[in-house]
């Protein structure tokens, strides 16, 4: 079936370095993607989104890249900080936007 | 309220008992979602409400699970005859109109079935 998945379950990054978290999707008709951050004991929080008419979108220290050719998106975090330690999910609406499917998640560990 | 509120935050119950989990979405949000998250896992879709209607119940794991929403606001997720495999964090989220926009999540209810 259609799914959203992540390549790397755990990513360890030195503080100050850049982080890249990857996500693959299988539904070529998908036109909207969202990245969420989930800190321990909390619900996921919206970070950034991108629509399929864009290849790149930037926020504060975060950039999302979308490659529709290979059905891949990535989240880049610049100058990673300890507060960035969390699990990151990509998500994709489906079923006429009634269902939002989440990937397994990538745990980002920032090494001080 | 200012955000999505879920109660209780923690629930410990005995196998075979029924439990009710409550979600108060952000005022004015018409779409409401329930997800289940097992330890170290991703989010498993359970059910979606648009207003008081649930057009997609495909994620409910069994007929022991049910959910309702009243007044286009508060939602309750009921699990009957709980089993140990029901132990998980149950997350609720809401949005203004649906899934083509960001969801706002509550902090979840940690359910432990002994």
């Amino acid at each position: 079936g259609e799914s959203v998945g992540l390549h790397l379950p755990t990513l360890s990054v030195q503080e100050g370095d850049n982080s890249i978290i990857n996500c693959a999707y299988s539904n070529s008709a998908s036109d909207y993607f969202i990245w969420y951050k989930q800190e321990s004991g909390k619900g996921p929080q919206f970070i950034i989104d991108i629509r399929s008419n864009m290849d790149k979108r930037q926020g504060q220290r975060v950039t999302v890249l979308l490659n529709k050719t290979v059905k891949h998106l990535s989240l880049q975090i610049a100058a990673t900080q300890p507060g960035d330690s969390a699990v990151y999910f990509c998500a994709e609406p489906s079923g006429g936007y009634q269902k939002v499917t989440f990937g397994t998640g990538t745990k980002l560990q920032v090494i001080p | 309220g200012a955000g999505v509120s879920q109660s209780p935050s923690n629930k410990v119950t005995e196998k075979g008992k029924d439990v009710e989990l409550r979600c108060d979405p952000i005022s004015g949000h018409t779409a409401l979602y329930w997800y289940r998250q097992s330890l170290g896992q991703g989010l498993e879709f359970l059910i979606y409400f648009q207003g008081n209607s649930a057009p997609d119940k495909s994620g409910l794991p069994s007929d022991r699970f049910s959910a309702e929403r009243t007044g286009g606001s508060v939602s309750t997720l009921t699990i009957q005859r709980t089993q140990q495999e029901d132990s998980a964090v149950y997350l609720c989220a809401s949005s203004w109109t649906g899934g083509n926009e960001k969801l706002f999540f509550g902090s979840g209810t940690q359910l432990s079935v002994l």
Side-chain angles (χ1 to χ4, degrees):
Chain A
E2 297 162 355
S3 65
V4 177
L6 294 173
H7 294 304
L8 300 173
T10 304
L11 177 65
S12 295
V13 175
Q14 202 73 35
E15 181 179 356
D17 287 351
N18 297 334
S19 302
I20 300 176
I21 300 171
N22 297 303
C23 180
Y25 64 94
S26 58
N27 183 6
S28 57
S30 296
D31 61 1
Y32 179 59
F33 304 90
I34 318 107
W35 281 99
Y36 289 89
K37 172 186 180 183
Q38 186 177 27
E39 296 175 286
S40 180
K42 298 182 180 179
Q45 286 186 304
F46 171 87
I47 303 173
I48 192 168
D49 58 2
I50 188 168
R51 299 197 181 269
S52 60
N53 60 349
M54 303 173 68
D55 295 325
K56 178 180 179 179
R57 190 171 189 205
Q58 288 184 294
Q60 186 177 12
R61 283 201 305 116
V62 295
T63 301
V64 56
L65 299 177
L66 176 61
N67 185 331
K68 295 180 284 294
T69 302
V70 295
K71 293 184 285 188
H72 179 272
L73 67 158
S74 65
L75 177 71
Q76 300 180 0
I77 304 173
T80 311
Q81 302 170 0
D84 295 327
S85 294
V87 177
Y88 291 81
F89 297 94
C90 60
E92 171 191 17
S94 61
Y97 302 119
Q98 292 184 0
K99 179 187 292 188
V100 180
T101 303
F102 285 76
T104 304
T106 292
K107 183 177 182 179
L108 177 64
Q109 295 178 322
V110 181
I111 305 167
Chain B
V4 178
S5 178
Q6 291 188 247
S7 60
S9 55
N10 282 281
K11 177 70 176 179
V12 180
T13 190
E14 293 179 349
K15 178 182 174 181
K17 300 285 188 183
D18 298 351
V19 295
E20 267 193 9
L21 312 181
R22 177 187 170 105
C23 173
D24 279 277
I26 292 173
S27 179
H29 281 193
T30 62
L32 187 146
Y33 297 78
W34 282 99
Y35 288 87
R36 179 168 71 174
Q37 185 174 33
S38 299
L39 186 63
Q41 300 297 311
L43 278 69
E44 176 189 3
F45 171 83
L46 297 179
I47 191 169
Y48 160 82
F49 285 93
Q50 182 57 254
N52 292 334
S53 300
D56 190 345
K57 302 179 182 179
S58 63
L60 294 177
S62 73
D63 58 7
R64 296 187 295 106
F65 288 72
S66 63
E68 65 175 12
R69 189 179 185 193
T70 56
S73 180
V74 173
S75 176
T76 55
L77 176 69
T78 301
I79 308 173
Q80 295 178 309
R81 305 180 302 283
T82 52
Q83 303 294 313
Q84 289 184 331
E85 60 263 30
D86 299 333
S87 296
V89 175
Y90 290 81
L91 289 161
C92 175
S94 68
S95 69
W96 285 108
T97 59
N100 61 337
E101 57 187 356
K102 62 184 177 182
L103 304 184
F104 294 82
F105 280 85
S107 295
T109 294
Q110 172 72 64
L111 176 65
S112 300
V113 182
L114 304 179

